[in-house]
Amino acid sequence: MKERNYEFRRRLEAVHKLNRRNPVLKPDQGEIEIGHDWHLVIGEQAGPLVQQVAKDLQDYLFVSMQVSVSIRRVAEIGEMADAGERVLVLATKEELSGLGSRLDKPRSYRIAVGANRIVVCGCDERGVGQGSYYLEDVMNLREAPFVSAVDISREPLFSPRMAHSGWGLDRYPDAHLNAMAHAGIDAILVFVKDVDRTPEGYMDFNYLVDRAALYGLDVYMYSYLINRKHPDEPDAESYYDGTYGKIFEACPRFKGIIFVGESCEFPSKDPNTTGVLRLEWPADQPQKKPSPGWWPCYDFPEWLNMLKKVIRKHNADADIVFWTYNWGWAPEEERLKLIRALPEDITLQVTFEMFEQIKHEGVTNVCVDYTVSFEGPGQYFSSEAKVASERGIKLHTMCNTGGLTWDIGVIPYEPVPYQWARRHAALLKAREDWGLSGLMESHHFGWWPSFVSDITKWTYWSPSPPAEETFTAIARRDFSEEAVPHVLEAWRHWSEGIRCYIPTNEDQYGPFRIGPSYPFLFRNKVRIPASWHAMFGSEIVIADYEPLEGARQSLGSSRIDAEIRSLERMAALWRQGNASLEEALRLTPDKKLDEGRLLLGLNLFIVHAVQTTIHIKRWWKLKMRLFNEPEPAKAGLILEEMERLALCEIANAEAAIPLVNADSRLGWEPSMDYMTDEAHLRWKIAQVRSVLEDEFSEYRKSLALIEGGVYERQK
């Protein structure tokens, strides 16, 4: 069936999947079964979060496990934990001091399962929630309301785990907040331009903080403010009091604020910069130095101290996060000089994989923006993390383990679990080596619940089973015991395929940003249609494909050819993975097929996106040959080759239409909105046809005139 645009949100609203229970299963020895005669029990003094957790667990048991239980509030919660019959007790360590004595880390929990009762004891209310969600995870994997008799304490390895909304830019319906909490995320991000103002308009920040707290989530402000004062100016403090100070006075419960170079540049006096904000540099003057937001300016510490002063007047514990994303390319000496000068009571955030130099067939590529093709850490991260550790500065990283990067811009997540597991392992090692404590897990492309986010959650808690054991259990849950080998084979092929992806600026801002709706330009410029309400729309897509960073040397042949060959390997591996998944679907029960088909559609779409990128690279090479070919006859042959390539790309775009119609999340991204739905794909097809029918026709006429003139001269 065809989904209308935005219909994917209906799926996001379903936090608990319907009828997960396998009715033929019976409890094994040592397992207890939660039945209709059980009760959920909370204390009389339980706060709003624990009440919400109890109602959520009740809903889960009813929707997913077909078990109806009641909720009871009792005065003596400890008695129920010690001697209750057929009860599932939810309480904090303050209420259960004996069980909670071992818990000292926020959000940690202990679960004690006896013959006829289950007790979830949280270090705090958020720990109660995480313990309850853990029970859901266990029952989901078991596909039944059966729980083994255990006594286990678990704690999170990272906090915060921050993510942007996958429902819509800065939009957080309750169900999406609930799903994020279930995934172990403990903080959300919102773009802020002023009090109660986001780039998309009005938002009641305090109300968002209230609703997020109900699901155990903090809210971080991601600064979109303009900074026009140097901190040493006489009126700088009053100026910043009227911007950041005003916001934190109006919403003092923001957990913290994210500052990233391009969004927090100020008129720095560092001689290595222009000293002028990027958007205010005169358009008619060449810019020979970077803007202040793109350099590790020596006066950033002075600026941060000013911001700390105005913010912490209203929230003494506000987490001031300073992110060095924009100047990871700069000389290490300059970067580390800044890290050594930073105030110790702020948090340093460093992107995990960026700026690494990677070789493919002897050609070096710089790892740009966000990608999972290289698991990391990069040298840029490692160098800054080491100095932060030496100085005792709290360390965060942007790692994208929400499941998505800029590798392909209009998909919900990258289904490459073995590659994600390599990144997880590298992040855990960074935690061990340099004290990495917090994660930003997505940018504005958002977070999406998937089997990848399930694997991530299992990894980020201790204790947890080995990754391969988790993979097998999740494959069995989502498909069947018989399908597991085929599912794991598909995951391995895709995970190997993503390692063939070569991240470049022109690809990530071009064909890989929007996939098969990407236009194929000849001489005429186009503007990709965009939604009126999108924050960026097509502004963050470069429509006229042009290899950068020295690729024009010898028409870019060495680099571009290596990229084409690597992408062909990627496409081949992805097709092998798709074939394995199709085998798995033949062994999958009917009630699980819808999810399996969505996964197949996602991966078929990825192949089309890869194919578009291969085609545009060949198109660019042919176009450069054509425009540099002096002989009309040879130029005509190149034009014929381009025409054949264009027809192949039209067919590639046409084949993507059924996929985006079946899954309305394909082709959409929160900040761009729809860029690859059926309407955009048909626009692209029409655009390429106009090149063939109009521009090529005119070019052939010009070639004929040139050839005729040559003939006349020869006569």
Side-chain angles (χ1 to χ4, degrees):
M1 288 182 61
K2 180 177 178 179
E3 281 194 340
R4 288 190 295 272
N5 281 3
Y6 308 107
E7 201 167 335
F8 67 83
R9 288 172 174 161
R10 291 185 180 180
R11 286 184 268 131
L12 283 181
E13 297 292 312
V15 178
H16 302 132
K17 293 189 187 302
L18 185 65
N19 294 335
R20 279 189 179 272
R21 183 171 188 170
N22 183 342
V24 305
L25 296 178
K26 302 296 180 186
D28 290 336
Q29 186 174 3
E31 288 185 324
I32 63 170
E33 178 177 359
I34 301 170
H36 299 297
D37 55 347
W38 278 57
H39 303 280
L40 285 168
V41 179
I42 60 175
E44 281 188 347
Q45 304 304 314
L49 198 159
V50 172
Q51 294 176 45
Q52 171 61 35
V53 169
K55 288 184 281 189
D56 176 85
L57 185 53
Q58 180 187 47
D59 182 74
Y60 166 78
L61 289 167
F62 182 75
V63 171
S64 296
M65 293 294 141
Q66 301 168 1
V67 174
S68 180
V69 299
S70 64
I71 300 175
R72 294 168 54 191
R73 300 184 70 162
V74 300
E76 298 297 331
I77 192 77
E79 290 182 9
M80 282 293 187
D82 291 336
E85 289 291 316
R86 293 180 296 282
V87 293
L88 207 164
V89 178
L90 303 175
T92 65
K93 72 175 184 179
E94 288 186 3
E95 299 169 288
L96 303 175
S97 56
L99 274 175
S101 60
R102 291 185 283 171
L103 303 174
D104 56 12
K105 192 167 187 178
R107 294 201 307 147
S108 62
Y109 56 84
R110 180 179 177 185
I111 293 180
V113 182
N116 259 318
R117 67 183 163 275
I118 300 171
V119 181
V120 176
C121 178
C123 178
D124 47 25
E125 289 197 339
R126 294 184 179 192
V128 176
Q130 292 303 314
S132 178
Y133 308 149
Y134 171 76
L135 285 180
E136 290 186 26
D137 295 338
V138 168
M139 288 186 274
N140 285 338
L141 293 178
R142 187 66 175 90
E143 295 185 79
F146 308 155
V147 181
S148 297
V150 296
D151 186 344
I152 184 173
S153 297
R154 302 181 81 230
E155 63 180 35
L157 299 177
F158 295 107
S159 184
R161 289 182 56 196
M162 298 180 271
H164 285 271
S165 171
W167 194 96
L169 194 69
D170 291 330
R171 296 181 184 181
Y172 292 97
D174 286 356
H176 198 50
L177 293 171
N178 195 14
M180 296 175 98
H182 276 67
I185 291 166
D186 64 348
I188 60 173
L189 292 149
V190 61
F191 292 116
V192 173
K193 297 186 76 171
D194 203 340
V195 174
D196 290 345
R197 184 180 175 189
T198 76
E200 288 209 324
Y202 174 80
M203 175 185 286
D204 185 335
F205 290 154
N206 286 299
Y207 181 56
L208 175 63
V209 171
D210 285 341
R211 290 193 301 109
L214 192 61
Y215 299 96
L217 299 166
D218 292 317
V219 182
Y220 274 79
M221 165 185 166
Y222 187 115
S223 176
Y224 251 48
L225 276 67
I226 297 173
N227 309 291
R228 302 193 183 280
K229 295 285 183 180
H230 191 279
D232 68 2
E233 294 183 52
D235 59 345
E237 184 173 345
S238 63
Y239 170 80
Y240 286 114
D241 226 355
T243 56
Y244 298 99
K246 181 178 72 169
I247 291 170
F248 272 83
E249 182 180 24
C251 188
R253 290 175 298 149
F254 272 140
K255 178 69 173 178
I257 183 169
I258 310 295
F259 291 117
V260 62
E262 63 196 67
S263 299
C264 74
E265 62 176 350
F266 68 103
S268 169
K269 296 182 179 180
D270 193 309
N272 293 293
T273 75
T274 63
V276 177
L277 306 188
R278 175 178 61 97
L279 296 178
E280 297 179 359
W281 183 261
D284 59 346
Q285 293 183 25
Q287 187 172 327
K288 298 180 181 179
K289 295 179 180 179
S291 302
W294 277 260
W295 182 262
C297 303
Y298 76 83
D299 40 7
F300 262 126
E302 187 180 354
W303 183 81
L304 284 168
N305 278 320
M306 174 67 73
L307 271 293
K308 279 169 39 188
K309 188 175 182 181
V310 301
I311 289 171
R312 288 183 174 157
K313 276 196 294 188
H314 308 290
N315 180 344
D317 299 318
D319 190 9
I320 312 288
V321 182
F322 184 62
W323 185 8
T324 62
Y325 163 86
N326 285 96
W327 52 80
W329 56 272
E332 182 175 293
E333 180 183 358
E334 298 290 338
R335 292 188 290 101
L336 300 189
K337 187 189 301 181
L338 172 59
I339 307 303
R340 292 187 177 102
L342 289 175
E344 290 182 354
D345 58 345
I346 61 121
T347 298
L348 177 70
Q349 181 162 299
V350 190
T351 310
F352 200 63
E353 80 282 2
M354 278 182 67
F355 301 110
E356 193 71 1
Q357 296 194 1
I358 303 172
K359 285 196 173 183
H360 296 265
E361 299 184 22
V363 179
T364 300
N365 292 81
V366 176
C367 193
V368 300
D369 235 345
Y370 310 129
T371 180
V372 72
S373 60
F374 165 56
E375 58 267 27
Q379 179 56 34
Y380 145 64
F381 172 86
S382 300
S383 62
E384 296 192 4
K386 184 174 183 292
V387 175
S389 175
E390 291 169 354
R391 293 204 56 221
I393 294 176
K394 190 162 62 173
L395 178 66
H396 291 180
T397 188
M398 167 55 159
C399 59
N400 291 294
T401 51
L404 188 60
T405 69
W406 271 133
D407 290 331
I408 302 168
V410 287
I411 60 176
Y413 64 98
E414 291 174 81
V416 292
Y418 286 92
Q419 184 66 357
W420 284 119
R422 295 182 188 103
R423 174 156 297 175
H424 295 155
L427 290 164
L428 292 172
K429 182 127 187 353
R431 177 179 180 271
E432 179 183 327
D433 291 346
W434 302 304
L436 176 65
S437 61
L439 310 176
M440 181 184 283
E441 298 198 65
S442 82
H443 211 319
H444 52 68
F445 34 73
W447 172 84
W448 183 269
S450 70
F451 74 96
V452 170
S453 60
D454 291 346
I455 290 167
T456 301
K457 178 185 176 181
W458 280 103
T459 305
Y460 289 168
W461 283 77
S462 177
S464 278
E468 192 68 37
E469 186 177 321
T470 301
F471 290 172
T472 299
I474 288 175
R476 183 189 305 115
R477 178 197 70 186
D478 291 350
F479 296 88
S480 70
E481 182 70 50
E482 295 75 19
V484 166
H486 301 291
V487 176
L488 297 182
E489 185 176 28
W491 291 357
R492 288 191 188 98
H493 285 312
W494 300 331
S495 299
E496 192 59 34
I498 198 64
R499 292 163 75 86
C500 300
Y501 178 101
I502 301 175
T504 67
N505 276 316
E506 64 269 15
D507 290 353
Q508 287 196 341
Y509 280 88
F512 271 128
R513 182 142 297 190
I514 60 174
S517 62
Y518 189 73
F520 277 43
L521 273 56
F522 187 57
R523 290 191 296 189
N524 294 344
K525 304 296 183 184
V526 300
R527 183 175 180 83
I528 303 171
S531 302
W532 65 268
H533 55 86
M535 182 169 82
F536 292 133
S538 56
E539 292 178 14
I540 55 171
V541 184
I542 299 173
D544 191 1
Y545 189 80
E546 176 75 22
L548 307 171
E549 290 121 13
R552 274 191 167 277
Q553 182 180 355
S554 303
L555 296 184
S557 58
S558 62
R559 199 193 99 179
I560 300 302
D561 289 346
E563 289 170 4
I564 290 172
R565 286 190 293 271
S566 196
L567 288 176
E568 286 173 337
R569 290 193 291 274
M570 178 180 176
L573 284 162
W574 231 277
R575 290 188 180 100
Q576 290 176 47
N578 293 351
S580 296
L581 181 60
E582 288 176 338
E583 287 295 318
L585 292 177
R586 294 187 185 97
L587 301 168
T588 299
D590 288 347
K591 73 174 186 177
K592 299 180 181 181
L593 278 177
D594 285 347
E595 291 288 330
R597 286 171 181 149
L598 286 170
L599 179 59
L600 180 60
L602 164 61
N603 286 283
L604 292 170
F605 181 88
I606 289 172
V607 172
H608 290 302
V610 175
Q611 200 60 56
T612 291
T613 308
I614 293 170
H615 285 164
I616 197 66
K617 291 177 184 292
R618 290 176 175 160
W619 177 264
W620 179 82
K621 286 187 64 183
L622 288 168
K623 189 164 65 171
M624 294 301 100
R625 279 178 54 201
L626 177 68
F627 292 162
N628 287 278
E629 178 51 65
E631 297 185 32
K634 290 182 179 178
L637 292 174
I638 296 172
L639 209 59
E640 289 176 8
E641 192 174 348
M642 291 181 74
E643 186 170 26
R644 290 192 294 271
L645 182 61
L647 291 172
C648 287
E649 177 55 24
I650 286 173
N652 184 54
E654 287 174 336
I657 291 174
L659 301 175
V660 301
N661 283 342
D663 181 355
S664 59
R665 177 56 181 81
L666 296 177
W668 178 87
E669 187 271 342
S671 73
M672 296 188 292
D673 205 75
Y674 278 102
M675 296 301 293
T676 320
D677 56 355
E678 180 176 358
H680 281 84
L681 287 164
R682 294 204 181 281
W683 170 85
K684 179 261 185 62
I685 291 166
Q687 181 270 324
V688 178
R689 289 198 186 282
S690 74
V691 169
L692 298 179
E693 295 165 7
D694 301 331
E695 292 191 68
F696 275 22
S697 177
E698 289 297 318
Y699 202 83
R700 284 193 172 97
K701 289 177 184 177
S702 68
L703 291 177
L705 287 172
I706 295 170
E707 195 166 31
V710 170
Y711 176 71
E712 288 297 322
R713 288 196 300 274
Q714 287 176 344
K715 282 205 303 184

